[in-house]
Amino acid sequence: QTRLVESGGDSVQSGGSLKLSCTVSRYTFSRYFMGWFRQVPGQRREAIASIDEDGSTDYADSVKGRFTISHDQSKNTLYLQMNSLKPEDTAKYSCSAPGFPIPLSSGVWGDFGYSGQGTQVTVSS
């Protein structure tokens, strides 16, 4: 079974940077497609970045230009570099392997495939 474990969450000041990692064990889907979503208690889950097997990426408008998704297949690790962090970026961040490409705006990230338990990012002003 595929297992995803996130790390790298922390508390930072506004304007700071963090790099999240997601270690993937036993990726079993035929196509590599992964992403990150975040959630604040009481609010809808927001998918923010995805990367396809050809390296193409997609970002939500809320993070475009500030966050970068990447992956290192040799290390079976997915990354999310987050720069210029804002208080509204405060959330639990989870990586996800839906099993097939889905748009960030689909509203179903986390409902298909596998997702990790998440790592907390807190940005103070």
Side-chain angles (χ1 to χ4, degrees):
Q1 181 171 332
T2 300
R3 185 165 179 251
L4 311 179
V5 179
E6 304 92 342
S7 62
D10 205 345
S11 296
V12 297
Q13 295 268 338
S14 181
S17 297
L18 281 175
K19 187 172 185 176
L20 305 183
S21 299
C22 170
T23 302
V24 184
S25 302
R26 295 187 179 180
Y27 189 91
T28 57
F29 298 122
S30 59
R31 177 174 180 164
Y32 183 89
F33 180 80
M34 293 193 67
W36 292 89
F37 65 85
R38 64 187 182 186
Q39 189 162 26
V40 176
Q43 297 185 20
R44 290 186 63 183
R45 199 179 293 160
E46 180 189 19
I48 56 172
S50 66
I51 185 165
D52 207 336
E53 60 183 9
D54 64 357
S56 59
T57 57
D58 193 18
Y59 298 94
D61 288 344
S62 59
V63 305
K64 197 171 294 183
R66 300 188 297 122
F67 291 11
T68 303
I69 188 171
S70 62
H71 67 103
D72 185 335
Q73 289 186 314
S74 68
K75 297 181 180 179
N76 295 322
T77 303
L78 179 73
Y79 301 102
L80 185 69
Q81 176 67 47
M82 306 186 295
N83 299 328
S84 302
L85 283 162
K86 306 174 182 180
E88 50 263 44
D89 294 319
T90 295
K92 178 178 280 190
Y93 286 70
S94 298
C95 58
S96 183
F100 51 89
I102 51 176
L104 294 177
S105 60
S106 66
V108 297
W109 278 82
D111 293 339
F112 296 97
Y114 300 95
S115 298
Q117 291 298 307
T119 186
Q120 180 67 34
V121 172
T122 302
V123 185
S124 57
S125 56

